Amino acid sequence: MHIGIGLPNQVRHVTASIIPRWAARAEEAGFSTLATTGRYAYPSVSDTVALAAAAGATTTIGLLSAVLLAPTWPGALLAKEIAGIDGVSGGRLTLGVGVGSRADEFTVPGHGLHGRGARLEADLATYREIWGGAPVGNGPNPAVPSGTRQVPMLFGGYSARALDRMVRWGEGYIGGSLPPAMTAPSFEAAKRAWREASRQGAPKLVVLCYFALGDTETGQANIHDFYRLAPKDIATNAVLCTTPKMIKESVAAYTDLGLDEIIFVPATDDLDEIARLADLVT
């Protein structure tokens, strides 16, 4: 199993200048992936800003949005942003896509909570077209530079529609930071949907897990605040690893489930958390 680490972009009142330093240290420590967590109506740094900073500060580590609330964006604009970040990184970005569930995240006129699933369906086609060289709207020029690739996509979510999008558009599934007993059925459903769609091989399966090994009290407070408006079953079950034993048990549990990668998402922006985690898992 590969071990990735999150960027602290979602930590409440994060010190934004830490993000490129965090990215560089995580790459030096040997983690497989740097991931963002997405919310806009929160005192944090947006996914695209954090990923662009990480792309410029690193050379080899994978980059992932886990997950970006895609329907909150105009489709063509997001396609161009993602293509640019992928290009800056040298082709290391994977777009993790979520549909979103809270009205306060949808700030663009005409892009509200209602109808977000249908918008995402149309936007996914727009991404592919623009990454393939199409212009934005009726303009004469391609929207992205030549050599832009089709950015691979993973999908998060707990509905049948999320899995349907995964098998039609994506390369795999991202599970949230919940206990293995709660996430295992979603991963099994993802594998089953993949087989039923006659996709070749197997979907990439990634899980998120929060951690705070230094200031655990602040970490717990940050996670509680982040999820205070989330559905109760998610807010009360979010996993936060605060000891070496919990980290190792999480790795073992998800290895047993046959997952490809676990990404430990920081609950604080303490740079020393990178070394603490690396000493346990890399």
Side-chain angles (χ1 to χ4, degrees):
M1 172 183 276
H2 296 292
I3 309 292
I5 188 170
L7 287 161
N9 71 296
Q10 87 299 332
V11 172
R12 183 174 177 83
H13 299 305
V14 59
T15 302
S17 61
I18 282 176
I19 288 174
R21 288 184 286 156
W22 185 287
R25 287 197 192 183
E27 182 172 72
E28 292 170 1
F31 289 101
S32 57
T33 300
L34 278 164
T36 57
T37 300
R39 275 192 67 185
Y40 300 122
Y42 200 71
S44 58
V45 175
S46 296
D47 305 75
T48 52
V49 175
L51 289 167
T58 60
T59 57
T60 59
I61 194 169
L63 304 173
L64 170 68
S65 59
V67 293
L68 186 149
L69 306 180
T72 63
W73 284 72
L77 176 59
L78 181 58
K80 186 175 177 68
E81 291 280 302
I82 292 301
I85 296 167
D86 187 59
V88 169
S89 76
R92 291 182 282 129
L93 178 63
T94 297
L95 177 62
V97 176
V99 72
S101 62
R102 289 189 293 270
D104 60 347
E105 303 290 348
F106 292 79
T107 62
V108 178
H111 286 72
L113 189 65
H114 179 71
R116 65 195 185 282
R119 285 202 315 277
L120 178 57
E121 287 291 333
D123 288 347
L124 291 169
T126 297
Y127 303 161
R128 291 284 174 84
E129 291 168 1
I130 288 178
W131 295 339
V136 172
N138 297 316
N141 298 314
V144 296
S146 60
T148 296
R149 66 172 186 148
Q150 292 291 334
V151 178
M153 292 187 284
L154 304 180
F155 287 80
Y158 302 101
S159 69
R161 290 181 179 179
L163 297 181
D164 179 59
R165 293 184 189 106
M166 177 198 73
V167 298
R168 288 187 292 113
W169 297 97
E171 306 302 325
Y173 178 78
I174 301 175
S177 184
L178 298 171
M182 293 182 68
T183 55
S186 295
F187 290 117
E188 287 302 317
K191 290 188 283 188
R192 183 168 58 251
W194 195 268
R195 292 193 301 269
E196 292 174 352
S198 299
R199 290 286 303 266
Q200 295 296 310
K204 182 176 182 179
L205 302 177
V206 179
V207 71
L208 310 178
C209 188
Y210 290 103
F211 80 101
L213 296 170
D215 187 347
T216 59
E217 184 175 334
T218 296
Q220 289 170 339
N222 286 342
I223 296 303
H224 175 76
D225 186 76
F226 188 76
Y227 283 103
R228 62 190 171 88
L229 299 179
K232 186 176 180 180
D233 59 335
I234 295 177
T236 59
N237 288 290
V239 174
L240 175 65
C241 294
T242 57
T243 66
K245 181 181 179 183
M246 293 177 71
I247 294 286
K248 293 177 180 179
E249 286 177 346
S250 293
V251 172
Y254 285 113
T255 298
D256 289 344
L257 288 180
L259 272 59
D260 298 289
E261 187 169 36
I262 181 170
I263 294 176
F264 287 99
V265 181
T268 74
D269 61 0
D270 176 6
L271 280 166
D272 290 336
E273 288 283 75
I274 300 169
R276 295 183 187 111
L277 181 63
D279 286 344
L280 298 173
V281 298
T282 62

